[in-house]
Amino acid sequence: MSAIRPRRLRETRALRRLTAETVLDAAHLVLPMFVRENAASPVPIASMPGVVQHTLGSLADAVADAAVSGIGGVMLFGVPATRDARGSGAVDPEGILNLATRVAVTAAAGALVVQTDLCLDEFTDHGHCGVLDERGRVDNDATVEVYASMAQAQAQAGSEVLGLSGMMDGQVTAVRAALDGAGHPDVALLAYSAKYASSLYGPFRDAVESTLIGDRRSYQLDPGNRREGLREALLDLAEGADMVMVKPAGWYLDVLANVAAVSDVPVWAYQVSGEYAMVEATAGQGWIDRRRAIVESVRAIHRAGADVVLTYWARELAGWIRTGDIE
Ligand code: PBG
C-alpha cells in the first residue's frame, strides 16, 4: 500500500478546484467576428453553426454584449462585396473592415480590445493573402508594402492590435515601421508566427466566401514542421512582435509549448473554424458532451502554454466561467 497518494488532492471538488493548474479566465479569451458589407441582416454560416456574418448594426450589439461578458477582445474579419487583384478594399478607409472597426471601437467603449485581421485574402479576387507577380506567385515584398498601407488604415480606424496573418517574410518589421512613421507607435502587433497550411480553415473560407483556387503552401507552414514553427516565432520576436501566435491550436500543441518556452511576450493560439466545426458536428450527433468538449479543448490549449486563446466559443465560455459551469 503506497503512502504516496496523488489521489488525495482529487478527492473533493474543493480540493480539485484549489489545486487546478489551468484556470480559465474570460479576460484571456478573444472572439473572432465576421462582418459582411451591405448585409441587411446577419447571415448564418452553414459550416459554423451558431456563427454569423454580422451587419454593422448586429456587430455593434454583439460587441457590446461581448464587453459585458468580460472577454478580453474581439478580432474582426471583413467580407467585402467586391474584390480585386490588389485587394484595394483593405486599404480603403471606407472598406468594410475599417468601417466595422469604427463601429466596434464605439460599441466596446474601452471595455475590451478591438483587433483586426491584417491580411489580403478577404479582399483579393484570387483569394491569396498577397498580390501576385506576373507568373501568378504571391509576391512577398510587394505584398508587405500593401500590408503597410493596410496597417495605417486599420490604425486610423481605431484598431488597437493588428493580427498579421499573411505569413509574408519581414511583415512585422515593415508594418511596425509604417505605423511608427504614421504616428501610431502604440498600436500593437500580434504576429501569426507559426501559421500552418491547414485543412482546418475550411469553414472559415465559407465564412469569408473565399475565392481561393489552389492552396497557401508557398507561404503557410508544412503541418509536419515543428522546428520551423519555432523559427518563425523567433524571427517575429526579433522583428519586434508584441505578441506571437500559433495556429491552428489543438493539433499544434507541441509547437505551442515550444514557442511558450522561449517567448518573452504573450503567446496566443487560434482555435480555428475547423476545430469549432468538428466539435459542433460531433456534439450535434450526440456523440460527445458539447460543453465538456469545448471546455476541455480550450483548457488544453492554455495548458500547453497559450496565454490567450482566440475561439469562436469565447462568448459562450465566458458565460460558463461566470456560472462556474466549467468542470
Ligand atoms: C487569413 C486567415 C485565415 C484564417 C484566419 N485568418 C484563413 C486562411 O489562412 O486560409 C482562418 C481562421 C479559421 O479557420 O478560423 N486571413
Side-chain angles (χ1 to χ4, degrees):
M1 214 192 311
S2 177
I4 298 174
R5 291 178 179 265
R7 282 191 54 198
R8 276 186 199 117
L9 300 184
R10 300 177 203 146
E11 198 57 38
T12 67
R13 183 170 191 243
L15 271 167
R16 291 192 295 272
R17 191 167 148 258
L18 179 71
T19 57
E21 294 179 44
T22 307
V23 178
L24 296 182
D25 175 8
H28 295 128
L29 300 175
V30 173
L31 179 67
M33 303 179 91
F34 304 101
V35 190
R36 183 176 196 196
E37 187 168 9
N38 300 337
S41 55
V43 183
I45 301 159
S47 52
M48 299 181 74
V51 180
V52 299
Q53 295 173 325
H54 282 287
T55 66
L56 288 170
S58 72
L59 176 75
D61 294 344
V63 170
D65 167 71
V68 170
S69 81
I71 66 169
V74 294
M75 171 71 81
L76 305 179
F77 294 88
V79 186
T82 57
R83 303 170 189 215
D84 62 25
R86 292 194 56 80
S88 324
V91 300
D92 179 355
E94 301 301 312
I96 184 59
L97 182 52
N98 298 322
L99 287 179
T101 302
R102 291 191 185 87
V103 167
V105 167
T106 304
L112 53 69
V113 179
V114 174
Q115 320 172 28
T116 44
D117 184 55
L118 204 165
C119 189
L120 281 175
D121 61 315
E122 283 95 62
F123 297 94
T124 52
D125 53 11
H126 45 71
H128 274 295
C129 293
V131 294
L132 307 181
D133 66 14
E134 63 287 345
R135 287 171 55 193
R137 300 173 306 182
V138 175
D139 185 332
N140 192 89
D141 296 0
T143 299
V144 166
E145 279 178 33
V146 184
Y147 287 176
S149 311
M150 190 175 178
Q152 291 176 6
Q154 293 188 349
Q156 200 65 47
S159 180
E160 303 173 73
V161 175
L162 310 188
L164 288 154
S165 68
M167 290 302 286
M168 296 300 129
D169 293 332
Q171 61 185 11
V172 174
T173 303
V175 166
R176 182 75 269 156
L179 290 172
D180 292 352
H184 299 293
D186 296 330
V187 172
L189 300 184
L190 165 65
Y192 285 41
S193 300
K195 178 173 178 181
Y196 287 84
S198 178
S199 59
L200 295 171
Y201 307 147
F204 173 95
R205 294 191 188 160
D206 283 349
V208 299
E209 300 169 29
S210 173
T211 52
L212 181 69
I213 297 165
D215 60 60
R216 306 199 197 287
R217 278 183 272 203
S218 77
Y219 40 105
Q220 298 180 350
L221 297 176
D222 179 330
N225 293 359
R226 176 171 177 170
R227 186 172 50 206
E228 195 181 359
L230 183 60
R231 180 183 189 215
E232 286 280 4
L234 292 171
L235 282 169
D236 286 341
L237 290 168
E239 288 186 38
D242 299 291
M243 302 185 274
V244 292
M245 179 138 80
V246 174
K247 175 186 176 183
W251 288 356
Y252 295 84
L253 296 183
D254 54 339
V255 180
L256 178 58
N258 283 169
V259 171
V262 301
S263 177
D264 56 1
V265 301
V267 175
W268 294 41
Y270 196 148
Q271 184 175 52
V272 302
S273 59
E275 297 177 76
Y276 176 89
M278 286 192 295
V279 171
E280 291 293 346
T282 314
Q285 293 286 332
W287 293 343
I288 50 170
D289 180 321
R290 179 175 180 273
R291 184 177 55 77
R292 287 191 60 200
I294 292 170
V295 171
E296 183 177 339
S297 69
V298 174
R299 206 193 295 280
I301 295 164
H302 278 302
R303 185 197 67 228
D307 300 293
V308 177
V309 179
L310 259 160
T311 172
Y312 298 96
W313 290 305
R315 174 64 189 83
E316 195 171 8
L317 259 170
W320 294 336
I321 291 169
R322 177 164 297 178
T323 54
D325 232 358
I326 50 171
E327 281 167 24

